[in-house]
Amino acid sequence: MKVKVPATTANLGPGFDVLGASLSLYNELEVSFASDPKKAKFVIEGEGKKILPKNESNILWKAMDAVFGLLDLREKYNLKSFNIKLTNNIPLSSGLGSSSAARAAGIIAANQICGNKLTKGEMAQLGVKLEGHPDNIIPAFYGGVCISINRGDDNIEVIKLPIPKMQAVVCTPGFELATERSRNILPAKYERKDVVFNLARISLLTKAFCDGDFKVLKEAMQDKLHQPYRAKLIPVMQDLISSAMENGAYGACLSGSGPSMIAFCNKNKAQNIAKCMAKIWKKETVPTKTFILDFDKTGAITPEN
Ligand code: HSE
């Protein structure tokens, strides 16, 4: 079977741990039954090919195993039951949901192996439990722009906003930033004025997406809950946002927990914005990858099954 899972961008500025969107950059998983456990193969191509573990500690396998555990099928299946091939296009630890994509792919594949016993909601709930926060992994399952409302015990109500008619320019510097490090830098408590600042912007942002009114994104993507603290880890963050805006972006922000930055714009501005953002990192002698992406509409799919 095959599973194709999109990259995601979480937070969208003020929507910390709540808002996220899926993007047209995909990882692909192929799983088949191994006829002989001794010959079972675990192959990784693309991003992380040389460094990701190809054993039980791989998060894709852990997600598959979590499904088998949930359905009481651990006796029946282990890593050696399968040939696994993962083709990664999403850069690792880059703020583009590579871990979410691996977990979602594993959950969907294992559920299919077990006869699709889990609903999409149940798979997403398991994904959130493994991932820790919903905004990154929910769009990988549902596609588009998602509001994730945690009703307790990782039972997530998902509200989908209209797909914006914009492109996403992603600028990914050539270093990884672990989500844990990028979360540990955040304060445990916030001042009321900063919380109110974000409440106003997330309301404005939601309205902007509903109305397709992107002129307000400059204001609506501002944030005081995570970006100012994370700027210590990504010193050119503000320069990247300013450059994107000066070159015609509607809005720009940190993608997930970084270090990628993302700008939203009309198609005709995208190439130039990508070039200008890359130039800023180049001055710091940091290499970059840039991606010009669309919003993914469907979330993970299982083609040709
Ligand atoms: N909302 C999360 C964060 C996204 O910003 O830490 C990363 O998983």
Side-chain angles (χ1 to χ4, degrees):
M1 72 198 61
K2 290 183 184 171
V3 189
K4 187 175 167 193
V5 188
T8 60
T9 183
N11 301 323
L12 299 175
F16 181 71
D17 280 1
V18 172
L19 281 181
S22 62
L23 301 169
S24 63
L25 178 69
Y26 301 91
N27 283 358
E28 286 178 17
L29 170 66
E30 288 180 57
V31 183
S32 59
F33 287 108
S35 47
D36 176 354
K38 286 196 203 85
K39 290 188 186 150
K41 282 191 193 142
F42 193 155
V43 178
I44 299 176
E45 299 285 358
E47 299 287 341
K49 179 183 164 146
K50 296 207 178 113
I51 53 167
L52 289 173
K54 294 159 192 93
N55 54 35
E56 276 89 354
S57 67
N58 187 291
I59 59 169
L60 169 103
W61 170 254
K62 283 188 179 174
M64 290 181 73
D65 185 55
V67 172
F68 300 138
L70 198 65
L71 298 175
D72 223 3
L73 288 166
R74 277 209 174 108
E75 302 268 301
K76 194 167 174 191
Y77 299 119
N78 61 53
L79 182 63
K80 296 289 171 199
S81 310
F82 306 104
N83 294 313
I84 296 173
K85 183 178 174 202
L86 187 57
T87 307
N88 286 338
N89 295 305
I90 308 169
L92 304 185
S93 299
S94 63
L96 291 170
S98 61
S99 61
S100 292
R103 290 185 168 118
I107 291 169
I108 292 166
N111 189 41
Q112 197 148 81
I113 289 161
C114 302
N116 289 318
K117 293 210 171 59
L118 302 178
T119 62
K120 187 156 150 173
E122 287 166 337
M123 288 195 287
Q125 185 175 11
L126 178 59
V128 174
K129 264 194 211 311
L130 297 175
E131 185 70 13
H133 14 88
D135 51 339
N136 224 9
I137 196 161
I138 287 293
F141 281 102
Y142 288 84
V145 183
C146 300
I147 304 175
S148 298
I149 299 161
N150 197 336
R151 294 225 148 123
D153 197 25
D154 297 326
N155 179 12
I156 308 292
E157 158 129 19
V158 181
I159 297 174
K160 286 188 71 173
L161 298 177
I163 307 275
K165 289 194 180 65
M166 296 187 288
Q167 283 202 305
V169 176
V170 176
C171 183
T172 305
F175 60 89
E176 294 181 7
L177 176 54
T179 300
E180 200 186 348
R181 181 161 176 236
S182 193
R183 285 181 86 83
N184 284 345
I185 205 161
L186 304 180
K189 291 182 178 171
Y190 290 96
E191 284 198 35
R192 185 188 304 178
K193 66 176 172 42
D194 289 345
V195 176
V196 173
F197 181 96
N198 268 51
L199 290 174
R201 266 97 198 145
I202 194 170
S203 306
L204 183 63
L205 186 59
T206 307
K207 181 167 171 16
F209 277 107
C210 288
D211 294 351
D213 174 16
F214 308 130
K215 291 189 298 296
V216 299
L217 291 194
K218 180 178 181 195
E219 172 100 59
M221 286 198 157
Q222 290 176 355
D223 158 74
K224 292 218 174 177
L225 297 189
H226 67 109
Q227 291 188 181
Y229 305 97
R230 289 171 164 171
K232 288 175 202 126
L233 303 171
I234 305 149
V236 292
M237 183 190 289
Q238 198 46 54
D239 296 340
L240 290 161
I241 294 176
S242 303
S243 165
M245 301 307 299
E246 280 157 22
N247 287 286
Y250 289 118
C253 57
L254 186 66
S255 182
S257 57
S260 296
M261 298 293 294
I262 188 162
F264 298 96
C265 61
N266 280 343
K267 202 172 181 168
N268 61 346
K269 311 265 186 203
Q271 290 284 358
N272 188 43
I273 290 173
K275 207 173 75 193
C276 294
M277 289 172 89
K279 217 188 260 177
I280 289 170
W281 275 120
K282 199 171 176 197
K283 269 193 232 149
E284 308 292 315
T285 66
V286 175
T288 49
K289 277 186 188 162
T290 54
F291 303 91
I292 295 175
L293 304 173
D294 294 312
F295 287 88
D296 160 84
K297 294 187 180 67
T298 58
I301 54 167
T302 50
E304 296 168 36
N305 287 329

